[in-house]
Structures are given as structure tokens and as C-alpha cells.
């Protein structure tokens, strides 16, 4: 019984890490491609691409922060 519980915890941890990584990666990709689109429309070199990457990183970390806060509050509710 304890072995099944440990296996479940490991799988949940790996799923969480995957979700966090994909959240950051998706935000960066969207920021980059929107910046690239603006660069092409406004005939800029790579100004908006760099701004898009920076905004993507910031929004990715904010998404991870919100997800971690939500998960930790859910775990605290389960403990109580």
C-alpha cells in the first residue's frame, strides 16, 4: 500500500514539473512569435522579438507562481 502511494506521489510531482515547464515555454513562444509578427509588420530588425521574449519570460514565471500558489492552497485545504 505504501509503495503505491510513493509511486503516485512521484507521478504527481513529474506531472507538476512538466506542467510548469510547458507553461513557461508556451508563454515564451507566444511572446516571441507575436514580437516576430510585429517586427515583420513594422519592418523592424528584432526589437519586438526581444521585447516579446522578455514579456513571455515574465508572464511564464507569473503563470508558474499562480499555479504553485493554487496547488499549495489546495494542499493546505486537504490537510485541514
Amino acid at each position: 500500500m505504501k509503495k503505491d502511494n510513493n509511486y503516485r506521489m512521484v507521478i504527481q510531482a513529474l506531472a507538476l514539473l512538466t506542467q510548469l515547464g510547458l507553461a513557461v515555454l508556451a508563454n515564451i513562444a507566444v511572446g516571441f512569435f507575436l514580437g516576430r509578427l510585429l517586427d515583420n509588420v513594422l519592418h523592424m530588425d528584432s526589437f519586438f522579438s526581444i521585447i516579446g521574449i522578455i514579456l513571455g519570460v515574465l508572464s511564464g514565471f507569473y503563470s508558474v507562481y499562480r499555479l504553485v500558489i493554487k496547488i499549495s492552497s489546495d494542499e493546505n485545504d486537504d490537510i485541514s
Side-chain angles (χ1 to χ4, degrees):
M1 193 64 112
K2 186 175 182 176
K3 188 174 184 179
D4 291 337
N5 192 24
N6 287 341
Y7 179 72
R8 173 177 253 164
M9 288 177 55
V10 168
I11 295 299
Q12 287 176 344
L14 288 174
L16 176 62
L17 286 174
T18 302
Q19 187 176 6
L20 296 176
L22 287 175
V24 172
L25 184 65
N27 282 305
I28 293 171
V30 168
F32 173 74
F33 287 118
L34 288 177
R36 193 76 169 152
L37 179 68
L38 279 173
D39 282 337
N40 288 336
V41 168
L42 299 174
H43 304 291
M44 304 282 285
D45 285 331
S46 60
F47 177 74
F48 287 109
S49 296
I50 294 170
I51 297 298
I53 290 172
I54 292 169
L55 290 176
V57 168
L58 293 175
S59 68
F61 283 124
Y62 180 69
S63 296
V64 166
Y65 171 76
R66 283 189 4 226
L67 184 62
V68 168
I69 293 298
K70 181 182 177 215
I71 290 171
S72 66
S73 69
D74 288 347
E75 287 178 1
N76 288 339
D77 290 343
D78 290 342
I79 293 172
S80 300

